[in-house]
Amino acid sequence: MAKSTRHAKYELYYRIVFVPKYPRSHLTGKTKERLEAIFAEICEDKGLELAECEVMPDHVHLFIGSPPKNAPSLIVNWVKGISARKYNQRYDDRVKWTRSYYVGTAGSASKGAVEQYIAEQEGEDA
């Protein structure tokens, strides 16, 4: 469902995947639960929508909705940086992420959605 700001209607979702720095890291059990809670906390604090969160033993897969003002690289930096810092401050075991990540866009603008937007704009001042 499209959301809006004062000047824009948008439906932006990003698939983000990243891995722990050390291959022997296993993101399972309590670590998995703690990370899921931290990712949800970060998204709430930053005004993002955490649509999906999968913490697998060897990688993290997030599906995040964001307003257009946030660049995908900024979202990734928030999620990785803040999650590692919060996790390492709260718990004795450590978590570190590699510098690399995957981000892909996901969203759709059907012909009907575009036509609806145009119809809504008729009669409004630009």
Side-chain angles (χ1 to χ4, degrees), residues 28-69:
T28 58
K30 286 189 178 186
T31 302
K32 175 183 175 170
E33 293 170 13
R34 292 169 177 169
L35 284 170
E36 288 171 347
I38 288 172
F39 292 138
E41 186 180 320
I42 293 166
C43 288
E44 184 176 331
D45 290 346
K46 297 295 185 181
L48 305 172
E49 177 190 350
L50 183 59
E52 184 179 318
C53 175
E54 290 184 51
V55 178
M56 306 301 285
D58 60 347
H59 71 281
V60 173
H61 174 222
L62 304 172
F63 190 52
I64 295 178
S66 171
K69 67 180 181 177

Side-chain angles (χ1 to χ4, degrees), residues 18-22 27 31 34-42 60 62 75-99:
F18 52 94
V19 297
K21 186 166 185 156
Y22 303 108
L27 308 175
T31 302
R34 292 169 177 169
L35 284 170
E36 288 171 347
I38 288 172
F39 292 138
E41 186 180 320
I42 293 166
V60 173
L62 304 172
I75 296 167
V76 172
N77 286 336
W78 282 341
V79 170
K80 289 173 65 178
I82 296 171
S83 67
R85 187 170 48 255
K86 284 187 176 201
Y87 190 92
N88 295 338
Q89 288 172 350
R90 295 177 185 175
Y91 307 107
D92 290 334
D93 54 329
R94 297 280 183 233
V95 102
K96 277 188 152 184
W97 309 116
T98 60
R99 291 189 295 174

